[in-house]
């Protein structure tokens, strides 16, 4: 018998960032070929009665098989990381190719491609961490890599071995604007953190909870404000990652109100954890040490508001997986002082279920905003759209068939990463992806892997949506123009 399609998903309610409707989805050659009722037969048929059919998630901030500047390897490689992501409804991960000082970015990127290619079960792209913007990197390596489809760079304003100074950040912003890449920023004021850290250590305040004291909320607000100033000077788009504070939200909101191309992201740890989680018995608080740290309930409320009112465009996991043992969190010994604890929390698999359960079912955001935050907008901002992030004829058939009624108790045993703990142990969520499809292939069904390692592909990205627009309030060049020096801004 010949079939009209490779796969048909029938009877579900398809949801995009702007609409929901009952229709079947016909897929061939990995692409959505038809949307409508009563489509012809598929070689594979999936019944989605009583289910939502969502665009597969795009997790645009996660750390997979990445080595820290201190040489600690993440607990998840491209197999466990992508399996875990898929089990939680994500079909595209954007992780990092991390340059450390003295390294060639070109070699680093080649290395990450080698690691991902044989293992990934879903599609992936890389942001390029720039820790050493040498003349060679800036003049030759980055322009080539961006043109090859790596259209985002990440810079750090803190961490001894990663941070750039303002001059270097301006150089990166100018290059990114010229070449059509987005600059992502880890924005915390390094010297505020350093000063507080040294005062705490002097007084022997070494427990994990003091990590939250040292990464003060004002350090975030100040760095976001400074970063926006640098971006405004050059009219360069930026995305502030893992925003955690009310001050950070307010600063981004007012920059956006002035028409600047400033995007914001938050993550599950800033909605569901607080600084009190770092104050657990013995070293247990180390499991919750990430940067920036979880804050107070008032900050959680501000994060929910910013997700609902559009101040934030993306909701990512910042999955930074380190086991609670000598390979990860406790690599410097069984009770290291807080600055020596590996930073980061896992979240790839629980990102979408947590936001669905507490955001959509909790009445804080509607289902379209959920889709926008978890898939569509990241695809647009990072240059993956319309291949990824939506359900449309011609798009990749990346789908999460979602049971909105399923009750799940989050537990380490039930998750598929390699971290050995979850910060959300015992939390009950409602809603879970039953079947997850990437380019028409069933990757996971009922938590079982059905795809081959290496079947995920690297996605070459195009110049993203913001490349077409100018920041509206940009008048930083006005005086230079009047005095005939405008080329310093226009010809970056
Ligand atoms: O604590 C975190 N977030 N670790 C991962 C690295 C980063 O800063 O994103
Ligand atoms: Zn960061
Ligand atoms: Zn991160």
């Amino acid at each position: 018998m010949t079939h009209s399609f490779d796969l048909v998903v029938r009877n579900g309610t398809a949801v995009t960032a702007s609409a929901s409707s009952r229709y079947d989805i016909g897929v061939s050659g990995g692409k959505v070929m038809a949307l409508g009722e009563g489509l012809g037969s598929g070689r594979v048929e999936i019944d989605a009665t009583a289910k939502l059919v969502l665009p597969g998630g795009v997790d645009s901030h996660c750390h997979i098989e990445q080595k820290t500047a201190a040489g600690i390897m993440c607990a998840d490689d491209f197999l466990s990381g992508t399996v875990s992501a898929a089990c939680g409804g994500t079909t595209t991960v954007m992780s990092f190719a991390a340059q450390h000082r003295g390294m060639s970015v070109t070699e680093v990127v080649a290395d990450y491609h080698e690691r991902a290619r044989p293992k990934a079960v879903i599609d992936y792209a890389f942001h390029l961490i720039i820790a050493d913007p040498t003349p060679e990197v800036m003049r030759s390596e980055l322009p080539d890599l961006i043109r090859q489809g790596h259209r985002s760079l990440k810079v750090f304003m803190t961490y001894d071995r990663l941070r750039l100074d303002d001059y270097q950040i301006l150089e990166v912003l100018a290059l990114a604007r010229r070449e059509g890449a987005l600059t992502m920023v880890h924005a915390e004021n390094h010297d505020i953190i350093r000063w507080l850290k040294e005062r705490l250590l002097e007084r022997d305040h070494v427990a994990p909870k003091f990590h939250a004291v040292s990464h003060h909320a004002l350090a975030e607000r100040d760095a976001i404000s400074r970063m926006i100033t640098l971006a405004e000077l050059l009219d360069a788009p930026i995305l502030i990652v893992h925003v955690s504070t009310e001050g950070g939200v307010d600063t981004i909101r007012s920059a956006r109100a002035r028409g600047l191309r400033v995007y914001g992201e938050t993550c599950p740890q800033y909605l569901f954890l607080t600084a009190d989680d770092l104050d657990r018995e013995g070293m247990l608080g180390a499991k919750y040490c990430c940067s920036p740290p979880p804050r107070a309930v008032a900050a959680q409320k501000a994060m929910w508001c910013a997700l609902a009112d559009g101040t934030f465009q993306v909701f990512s996991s910042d999955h930074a997986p380190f086991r609670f043992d000598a390979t990860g969190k406790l690599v410097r010994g069984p009770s290291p002082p807080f600055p020596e604890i590996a930073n980061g929390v896992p979240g790839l698999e629980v990102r979408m279920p947590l936001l669905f359960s507490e955001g959509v079912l909790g009445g804080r955001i509607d289902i379209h905003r959920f889709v926008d935050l978890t898939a569509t907008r990241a695809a647009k901002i990072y240059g993956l759209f319309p291949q990824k992030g939506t359900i449309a004829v011609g798009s990749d058939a990346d789908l999460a068939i979602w049971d909105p009624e399923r009750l799940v108790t989050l537990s380490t045993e039930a998750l598929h990463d390699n971290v050995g703990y979850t910060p959300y142990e015992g939390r009950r969520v409602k809603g879970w992806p039953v079947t997850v499809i990437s380019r028409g292939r069933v990757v996971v069904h009922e938590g079982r892997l059905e795809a081959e390692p290496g079947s995920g592909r690297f996605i070459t990205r195009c110049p993203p949506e913001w490349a077409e627009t100018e920041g509206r309030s940009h008048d930083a060049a006005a005086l230079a123009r009047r005095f005939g020096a405008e080329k310093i801004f226009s010809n970056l």
Side-chain angles (χ1 to χ4, degrees):
M1 175 180 176
T2 52
H3 296 286
S4 307
F5 300 99
D6 294 344
L7 164 72
V8 177
V9 178
R10 286 191 199 280
N11 306 320
T13 300
V15 185
T16 66
S18 54
S20 19
S21 188
R22 289 284 294 275
Y23 50 73
D24 303 336
I25 301 172
V27 175
S28 286
K31 300 271 182 199
V32 174
M33 303 302 279
L35 303 172
E37 284 180 71
L39 295 182
S41 66
R43 192 168 44 76
V44 175
E45 295 260 342
I46 294 178
D47 180 19
T49 302
K51 308 285 190 307
L52 304 174
V53 185
L54 309 177
V58 176
D59 192 337
S60 58
H61 182 167
C62 50
H63 303 266
I64 302 179
E65 214 167 327
Q66 182 185 327
K67 227 183 215 171
T68 67
I72 310 169
M73 182 48 104
C74 282
D76 282 308
D77 67 6
F78 280 94
L79 180 56
S80 63
T82 57
V83 170
S84 179
C87 288
T90 290
T91 52
T92 305
V93 283
M94 305 184 75
S95 57
F96 295 88
Q99 182 204 28
H100 295 300
R101 293 192 182 146
M103 291 179 174
S104 141
V105 188
T106 307
E107 284 171 22
V108 166
V109 170
D111 189 32
Y112 277 84
H113 277 283
E114 286 302 305
R115 293 183 209 179
R117 196 176 298 117
K119 297 182 200 157
V121 300
I122 57 173
D123 294 347
Y124 54 93
F126 300 120
H127 310 292
L128 313 182
I129 289 179
I130 308 305
D132 196 3
T134 61
E136 173 65 13
V137 165
M138 299 298 282
R139 277 193 217 122
S140 151
E141 294 195 1
L142 285 180
D144 285 350
L145 289 163
I146 293 169
R147 284 174 212 148
Q148 286 160 21
H150 306 91
R151 293 205 168 262
S152 42
L153 313 176
K154 184 178 179 193
V155 296
F156 288 80
M157 299 174 85
T158 187
Y159 292 133
D160 285 324
R161 284 177 272 218
L162 288 172
R163 75 194 179 105
L164 303 187
D165 63 28
D166 289 0
Y167 185 93
Q168 292 172 311
I169 291 174
L170 284 169
E171 291 282 274
V172 170
L173 287 172
L175 178 137
R177 197 191 97 167
R178 188 177 67 235
E179 299 294 339
L182 179 68
T183 305
M184 307 159 74
V185 191
H186 178 128
E188 290 186 283
N189 178 311
H190 184 74
D191 285 317
I192 291 180
I193 296 168
R194 183 174 147 226
W195 191 89
L196 289 169
K197 191 167 71 181
E198 287 176 9
R199 299 297 78 74
L200 286 161
L201 294 177
E202 271 168 17
R203 286 163 182 75
D204 213 23
H205 295 314
V206 294
K209 64 186 173 192
F210 295 110
H211 174 75
V213 178
S214 67
H215 285 250
H216 199 282
L218 290 175
E220 179 177 285
R221 189 190 73 184
D222 174 72
I224 291 177
S225 168
R226 178 154 48 93
M227 191 62 217
I228 290 171
T229 303
L230 300 179
E232 182 172 8
L233 181 73
L234 301 188
D235 189 23
I238 53 170
L239 186 142
I240 312 288
V241 296
H242 48 49
V243 179
S244 66
T245 59
E246 296 101 308
V249 167
D250 290 345
T251 310
I252 293 170
R253 190 179 281 124
S254 68
R256 290 181 59 76
R258 290 193 293 120
L260 299 180
R261 293 179 295 173
V262 175
Y263 300 104
E265 167 200 273
T266 196
C267 317
Q269 48 273 35
Y270 308 115
L271 299 180
F272 301 107
L273 305 177
T274 68
D276 287 339
D277 285 304
L278 279 71
D279 187 19
R280 296 195 182 216
E281 204 191 327
M283 285 304 292
L284 286 176
K287 292 182 175 179
Y288 303 83
C289 282
C290 56
S291 296
R295 311 281 182 183
V297 171
Q300 293 180 337
K301 287 191 180 139
M303 299 308 114
W304 280 114
C305 251
L307 288 170
D309 73 9
T311 302
F312 293 151
Q313 294 68 44
V314 289
F315 184 69
S316 307
S317 66
D318 192 8
H319 180 81
F322 297 104
R323 295 178 68 84
F324 185 63
D325 63 22
T327 67
K329 290 282 179 187
L330 307 180
V331 74
R332 301 274 177 261
S335 0
F338 70 87
E340 313 236 325
I341 296 167
N343 270 213
V345 293
L348 261 178
E349 192 164 341
V350 296
R351 173 185 75 112
M352 293 177 71
L354 281 170
L355 192 69
F356 183 85
S357 187
E358 293 296 322
V360 179
L361 301 182
R364 295 174 169 106
I365 54 172
D366 72 16
I367 186 73
H368 306 295
R369 184 116 195 92
F370 171 81
V371 169
D372 203 36
L373 284 163
T374 56
T376 314
R377 199 59 82 89
K380 288 183 174 174
I381 289 174
Y382 288 110
L384 296 162
F385 190 84
Q387 183 182 356
K388 303 290 186 191
T390 194
I391 302 174
V393 172
S395 293
D396 282 358
D398 290 359
L399 306 169
I401 301 179
W402 198 276
D403 180 349
E405 300 296 331
R406 183 160 306 187
L407 285 167
V408 174
T409 302
L410 301 180
S411 73
T412 309
E413 290 68 42
L415 299 176
H416 298 79
D417 60 34
N418 190 31
V419 184
Y421 78 92
T422 168
Y424 311 102
E425 187 75 40
R427 183 181 272 274
R428 299 262 287 167
V429 294
K430 192 169 177 188
W432 198 267
V434 181
T435 309
V436 178
I437 295 167
S438 159
R439 281 183 283 102
R441 306 163 299 130
V442 173
V443 179
V444 290
H445 176 64
E446 295 288 1
R448 268 191 329 276
L449 180 64
E450 301 208 347
E452 289 298 314
S455 56
R457 283 190 199 148
F458 171 70
I459 305 294
T460 304
R461 291 182 279 144
C462 343
E465 61 159 24
W466 48 260
E468 305 304 315
T469 60
E470 289 276 317
R472 271 183 285 126
S473 86
H474 183 59
D475 61 0
L479 185 62
R481 197 177 308 112
R482 191 146 68 79
F483 290 170
E486 65 274 22
K487 286 216 164 120
I488 67 164
F489 289 109
S490 63
N491 198 11
L492 297 168

